[in-house]
Amino acid sequence: MAINHPSFGTMDPDRVIIFDTTLRDGEQSPGFSMNLEEKLRMAEALAELGADVLEAGFPIASPGDFESVQSIAQRFAKDGPVVCGLARTSPGDITRAAEAIKPAARGRIHTFVSTSPLHMRVKLRMEPEAVLEMVTASVTMARNATDDVEWSAEDGTRTEMDFLCRCVEAAIKAGATTINIPDTVGYAVPEDMHRIFSTVRERVPGADRVIFSTHNHNDLGLAVANTIAAIRAGVRQVECTINGIGERAGNASLEEIVMALRTRHDAIAVTNGVNSGNILKTSRLLATITGFDVQPNKAIVGRNAFAHESGIHQDGMLKDSSTYEIMTPESVGWTKSSLVLGKHSGRAAFKDKLKALGYEVGDNAMNDAFKRFKDLADRKKVVYDEDIVALVDDEVVRAHDRIKLTGLSVSTGMHTRPIASIALDVDGEAREGVAGGDGGVDATFAALRVAFPHDVNLKLYAVQSVTGGTDAQARVTVRLEEAGKLVDGQGADTDTIVASARAYVHALNKLLVKRARTAPAEMGGEMNPALAASA
């Protein structure tokens, strides 16, 4: 049966809405903070990918979160995906979310409350009847602000079925157009998901007039399987993130869900609007922005996803790739071309290559990236696609950082105490630092602390090569910890020490963003809501 939705019109019964929460739930992962420009760039990439709904943030959480949601809403003021803001049940949350999404051509308020016995007793300290009243009051207020309202039962998969049905019925009566039953703690198995959604859709009056949504966490590694089970039970919105990032073990991975639905259309006959050819590009962009690479054996986007080492496998691949590949690398954005440009290549060729790799950059960013490319081409015998991706991501994504690396000189060797001299641009102010250390990298980090004083713990330092060969670019990941807050930074360069400095500076910029963010204040009064946005 077709459903008439305020944002999507008359819905095809087999059309699945892709609700991307990379910018909200994904960013709640330790170390995954993004600044405003990074969020805008990620939002544009998600729109190009074909996500139907962008959960852009939690507006009440901080002025920065509000600004991010509002800016994304302004970016899609004429068309584009639905822009969604998360809100707890208090009037303050809902009002703030309504203000943030107002500029969007299509806006949504997503409000939630805990419904499981454990959460109601321990977190809310409220009786079920009071929670039920909060559902009605919060959805009613949200619906007065926008036609598109989503309601979520936090910890829904551990909620008693009778009470869950009552809450869903109350939300529908109050005007919710999407009902989400999340597996907040990743506890459910696929059979649970099918049973829960089938039961609610059968028992609740008005269930045939709304879209049901599933939001699954990956604590037991079942998030994608649970999402597929929910779709089989009639769910037509899936909540997911790029690379599966999110709280704890993460969320259901967008790329895995989309390619499962595409590859096994014979078993799950539904459609979605994602342009799968943009998947790898979007995955790599997120990895660069957050500083978190995906694991090599990650499905779809890991670098080993289409690699074959076994002799038997290689023999089969040479005869017919379908013997060991159930999808083509090109279908998700991988390219078979590897050798690309050299030191004699001009600006036009470089720009064409960027376009082929899926990059559209402005003139200033293009100039900076081309200058760095020519420098790289002078130092490397062969420049590969992977080199250009690392270079452009490292250059373009950093364009709006408050701290920029402008110079580095390191003196080191056997039986010599390493000395590093570093130059930074901090909010337009030139700063310098000189320090010694136990090795070139340690001296560089010490010089950074002189130029930009700070007190953090270095929790991780990792180096990997972008391509093969002794002249390969090094990609360095640095994880810093300050007062319990974790941030990761990445940097790439043929010189490992320079890459290390770039990564550390990237992490420092993340830390500045993190410092500006505060948890939303606990709200008192009759409508005391959940204290965290972990739906």
Side-chain angles (χ1 to χ4, degrees), residues 248-266:
R248 304 181 310 279
N251 287 271
S253 164
L254 181 149
E255 58 272 14
E256 293 177 22
I257 294 168
V258 167
M259 293 314 293
L261 296 180
R262 174 172 172 169
T263 305
R264 293 307 312 274
H265 188 73
D266 61 316

Side-chain angles (χ1 to χ4, degrees), residues 26-312:
E27 206 213 6
Q28 290 178 197
S29 304
F32 278 68
S33 292
M34 306 179 205
N35 63 32
L36 176 59
E37 291 299 326
E38 290 167 341
K39 281 192 171 185
L40 286 170
R41 188 176 179 209
M42 197 68 219
E44 289 175 349
L46 290 167
E48 292 175 5
L49 180 65
D52 299 295
V53 183
L54 303 186
E55 188 166 47
F58 189 18
I60 197 70
S62 70
D65 272 60
F66 176 86
E67 182 185 12
S68 294
V69 177
Q70 187 178 62
S71 296
I72 292 170
Q74 290 168 345
R75 186 63 57 93
F76 300 114
K78 294 183 179 180
D79 54 23
V82 174
V83 178
C84 175
L86 186 68
R88 297 170 297 181
T89 54
S90 80
D93 274 44
I94 294 169
T95 298
R96 197 69 168 154
E99 292 173 356
I101 66 167
K102 188 175 181 179
R106 295 183 294 168
R108 173 182 296 187
I109 294 175
H110 178 191
T111 184
F112 71 98
V113 68
S114 296
T115 55
S116 69
L118 176 62
H119 277 220
M120 288 190 293
R121 183 182 74 253
V122 175
K123 195 165 93 167
L124 298 184
R125 299 178 183 176
M126 297 179 67
E127 294 299 320
E129 292 304 318
V131 171
L132 196 61
E133 292 177 5
M134 290 170 62
V135 173
T136 298
S138 59
V139 173
T140 298
M141 183 176 180
R143 186 57 191 268
N144 286 334
T146 179
D147 290 337
D148 190 344
V149 175
E150 176 173 342
W151 176 79
S152 286
E154 186 180 9
D155 205 22
T157 56
R158 294 193 296 177
T159 297
E160 294 174 346
M161 182 55 70
D162 287 346
F163 184 64
L164 180 62
C165 287
R166 291 179 66 198
C167 288
V168 171
E169 182 177 2
I172 293 173
K173 285 183 177 179
T177 51
T178 300
I179 299 294
N180 181 42
I181 302 175
D183 186 26
T184 303
V185 294
Y187 177 77
V189 297
E191 292 81 3
D192 294 331
M193 302 305 296
H194 194 281
R195 172 182 50 82
I196 290 169
F197 280 105
S198 295
T199 301
V200 171
R201 293 181 67 229
E202 289 170 2
R203 286 178 49 179
V204 175
D208 59 336
R209 301 194 306 270
V210 300
I211 297 290
F212 277 87
S213 178
T214 185
H215 176 124
N216 300 304
H217 281 263
N218 205 38
D219 298 74
L220 295 176
L222 295 172
V224 173
N226 285 340
T227 299
I228 298 300
I231 292 172
R232 289 179 179 275
V235 163
R236 288 299 179 264
Q237 176 178 284
V238 297
E239 306 194 4
C240 47
T241 61
I242 299 297
N243 297 343
I245 68 170
E247 295 269 13
R248 304 181 310 279
N251 287 271
S253 164
L254 181 149
E255 58 272 14
E256 293 177 22
I257 294 168
V258 167
M259 293 314 293
L261 296 180
R262 174 172 172 169
T263 305
R264 293 307 312 274
H265 188 73
D266 61 316
I268 318 149
V270 295
T271 63
N272 64 80
V274 169
N275 173 12
S276 66
N278 279 6
I279 284 177
L280 182 63
K281 179 181 73 171
T282 312
S283 167
R284 283 176 166 172
L285 174 62
L286 179 66
T288 300
I289 287 175
T290 61
F292 278 76
D293 279 326
V294 299
Q295 66 201 57
N297 63 328
K298 169 75 166 64
I300 317 299
V301 293
R303 67 174 181 268
N304 290 349
F306 295 94
H308 305 270
E309 185 170 330
S310 161
I312 296 174

Side-chain angles (χ1 to χ4, degrees), residues 366-393:
M366 172 67 187
N367 291 337
D368 292 340
F370 182 69
K371 181 179 178 181
R372 192 167 165 198
F373 159 72
K374 295 295 281 188
D375 178 59
L376 177 65
D378 283 337
R379 288 182 285 156
K380 283 201 62 159
K381 298 182 183 73
V382 176
V383 180
Y384 294 90
D385 284 357
E386 292 87 348
D387 289 312
I388 293 181
V389 168
L391 179 153
V392 175
D393 283 344

Side-chain angles (χ1 to χ4, degrees), residues 410-413 416-420 435-446 449:
V410 181
S411 174
T412 186
T416 301
R417 178 170 171 76
I419 300 292
D438 185 13
V441 171
D442 186 56
T444 298
F445 290 176
R449 288 191 289 272

